[in-house]
Amino acid sequence: MHYSHGLKEDEAELGPFRPVRAASRDFARAEQVGLHYHHALELNLFHAASGEAWVGGRHIDLAGQTVVVIPPDAPHAYHIGEGGRVDVVHVSCTDFRALFSDTWQEALLLRNEDWLQAIPVIHEAYAGLEEPIRRLTARSPDTAGSGPLLAAACIEPVCAILECLQRCTPVRPADPTSSDHMRRIIAYSEEHWH
């Protein structure tokens, strides 16, 4: 991962022609991924994983095969044990949305992305995400790292991902203003990172 400043991950490689980045990674030894965030939706499919994750202050134990979904701008970190593997997909919803007409944007719930902030991090329905995540990581041009995917190669799997996420019951934080506070902190840190 590349950090241009502070906690914000560099997403310069994502854009209208390459709205998705995918990677598959083996952990030959235990590793920590420090606290960070990005504007893209992140999906992680852990295989034979052990370890833990922190997403927006919530602690998650990773065991076996787990799908973890990170909403845009949610701070998160990982400690992954030796011997596991993770498939990671980042979707720039803004760039993906630009591929569709207004009617399709409405149907995919991409006109307003606020609903993504209320999706559960782990949900039993996320078993439906495994296959599209695998398809995207299999198409990654750089299997050793993180490869951006051309729009034509990712439309069908990303639409399947969005459909699966939309079927899940939204989760609201106990304090509905907490996500607003975090968004303001992130916006301020990006403007004043120096």
Side-chain angles (χ1 to χ4, degrees), residues 1-3 5-11 21 32-39 42 44 54-56 70-78 88 90 186:
M1 295 185 185
H2 309 288
Y3 304 98
H5 56 79
L7 299 174
K8 172 71 172 68
E9 185 178 350
D10 182 12
E11 296 172 324
R21 177 174 56 205
Q32 285 194 240
V33 178
L35 187 66
H36 66 287
Y37 72 93
H38 31 79
H39 296 310
E42 179 177 322
N44 298 289
W54 295 266
V55 181
I70 318 268
D73 298 327
H76 55 285
Y78 303 99
V88 182
H90 291 100
I186 288 170

Side-chain angles (χ1 to χ4, degrees), residues 159-175:
C159 286
I161 287 168
L162 292 172
E163 184 180 341
C164 182
L165 294 178
Q166 290 165 18
R167 285 194 307 262
C168 296
T169 306
V171 200
R172 298 286 177 206
D175 175 7

Side-chain angles (χ1 to χ4, degrees), residues 20 23 30 79 85 102 116 126 165-166 182:
V20 173
H79 176 79
R85 191 176 102 239
D102 288 348
L116 288 170
Y126 287 170
L165 294 178
Q166 290 165 18
M182 184 57 72

Side-chain angles (χ1 to χ4, degrees), residues 13-21 92 95 141 148-151 154:
E13 64 190 22
L14 295 179
F17 297 108
R18 296 179 183 272
V20 173
R21 177 174 56 205
S92 170
D95 293 320
L149 297 175
L150 283 170
C154 64

